Amino acid sequence: QDSSWLLSWTINRQGQFKEQDKKQVCVWVYSLFTDVPGDYIKKPMKECTGKEITEEWLYHLGVPVEEIPELAEHSAVCVPTMMPYITAFFMPRAKGDRPDVIPDGCVNFAFLGQFAETPRDTIFTTEYSVRTAMEAVYGLLGVDRGVPEVWGSVYDIRELLDSSVKLMDGVSPLEIELPGPLNKLKKPLLKAISGTVIEKLLRDHNILKEGMM
Ligand SMILES: Cc1cc2nc3c(=O)[nH]c(=O)nc-3n(C[C@H](O)[C@H](O)[C@H](O)COP(=O)(O)OP(=O)(O)OC[C@H]3O[C@@H](n4cnc5c(N)ncnc54)[C@H](O)[C@@H]3O)c2cc1C
């Protein structure tokens, strides 16, 4: 959050590559705002070399500034990758914009991957691609195997409660001011669920917080 580029970084389980030297670490540095100057490198990320991106990252890690250029030059290799169309995934869409995996009547071709339509699943995941491939192969070739069900989070009240708090950065829906008389309903409703399993459920999922009852 302190980074103008909204830079984040992840070190997944090592090694990421079979040939990776055990003494090396593969880091994934990612930014969303590529058009604005950085905090150490005063250029937009999209104009930066790998060394400059590494310098900006080291700066945010708190590396002493006098050591940054040397470390970025000799202790890291950064390969920049730009994905200008990645947000295409999140454009509004309507049914029919994406083809079905096996369009009606097709017997010898199917659509795979992130831009094919499969009900309820979430894109930007390898799982989605794998599911479309399973649907295509099992469907066209008549393979008698079930495609694993999409995780039923939308039908799980616990997931929905968690999501409602996470969507608002930790704020419970109960902390929101409701219009007029609706606000007055909160107290009696909370009283009604006091001591029940619903109270426990709301507490377990941070809808109900200390001092709210
Ligand atoms: C930054 C980022 C982070 C992600 N994080 C996650 C994550 O944490 N968890 C998760 O589950 N998913 C994640 N994903 C999504 C996941 O990586 C992809 O959805 C998945 O890899 C897509 O797999 P795919 O096989 O359908 O397509 P791809 O992996 O894109 O494979 C398509 C292949 O086709 C090749 N190709 C294209 N055109 C042609 C052509 N004309 N002829 C021959 N070959 C061609 C391409 O070179 C490519 O190798 C992430 C994706 C990105 C970009």
Side-chain angles (χ1 to χ4, degrees):
Q1 66 184 359
D2 300 327
S3 152
S4 308
W5 292 351
L6 197 62
L7 187 148
S8 62
W9 55 280
T10 313
I11 299 180
N12 288 310
R13 190 177 303 150
Q14 305 290 309
Q16 293 273 290
F17 301 96
K18 276 192 181 154
E19 307 301 326
Q20 189 178 327
D21 187 327
K22 284 211 166 9
K23 288 192 221 126
Q24 290 174 343
V25 177
C26 187
V27 188
W28 183 38
V29 176
Y30 191 79
S31 281
L32 281 177
F33 304 144
T34 58
D35 295 327
V36 291
D39 303 292
Y40 175 78
I41 298 288
K42 305 290 182 200
K43 277 162 64 175
M45 190 191 195
K46 67 180 181 190
E47 290 169 15
C48 286
T49 62
K51 183 186 165 202
E52 289 165 332
I53 293 171
T54 309
E55 289 181 319
E56 180 77 7
W57 174 60
L58 293 175
Y59 173 77
H60 281 291
L61 285 182
V63 171
V65 280
E66 60 281 8
E67 292 175 31
I68 287 178
E70 166 74 14
L71 284 171
E73 175 83 36
H74 298 295
S75 302
V77 178
C78 169
V79 183
T81 309
M82 184 81 169
M83 293 183 294
Y85 298 119
I86 199 71
T87 39
F89 275 167
F90 304 114
M91 295 295 280
R93 61 169 180 269
K95 187 152 175 56
D97 288 351
R98 304 185 298 187
D100 287 338
V101 174
I102 304 179
D104 274 351
C106 292
V107 293
N108 60 2
F109 80 89
F111 291 97
L112 309 182
Q114 305 291 306
F115 291 95
E117 181 78 38
T118 187
R120 289 210 296 113
D121 206 351
T122 305
I123 52 151
F124 220 141
T125 62
T126 47
E127 194 175 317
Y128 195 98
S129 285
V130 171
R131 184 182 311 286
T132 56
M134 283 175 154
E135 285 176 3
V137 173
Y138 298 175
L140 288 179
L141 301 180
V143 177
D144 188 15
R145 286 179 69 175
V147 178
E149 197 193 342
V150 175
W151 164 236
S153 54
V154 287
Y155 305 117
D156 187 323
I157 185 90
R158 295 164 299 184
E159 294 291 340
L160 297 175
L161 292 174
D162 277 341
S163 311
S164 66
V165 177
K166 284 195 178 115
L167 270 174
M168 296 194 292
D169 292 332
V171 176
S172 157
L174 291 176
E175 289 170 291
I176 297 174
E177 278 298 307
L178 298 174
L182 288 176
N183 238 3
K184 296 208 170 72
L185 283 175
K186 280 185 195 166
K187 280 265 171 212
L189 281 175
L190 289 179
K191 213 167 164 203
I193 60 158
S194 173
T196 68
V197 70
I198 298 176
E199 182 195 339
K200 180 174 182 326
L201 184 72
L202 297 185
R203 279 199 192 285
D204 287 350
H205 297 277
N206 277 326
I207 303 281
L208 204 51
K209 301 179 180 176
E210 273 319 301
M212 276 187 178
M213 289 289 267

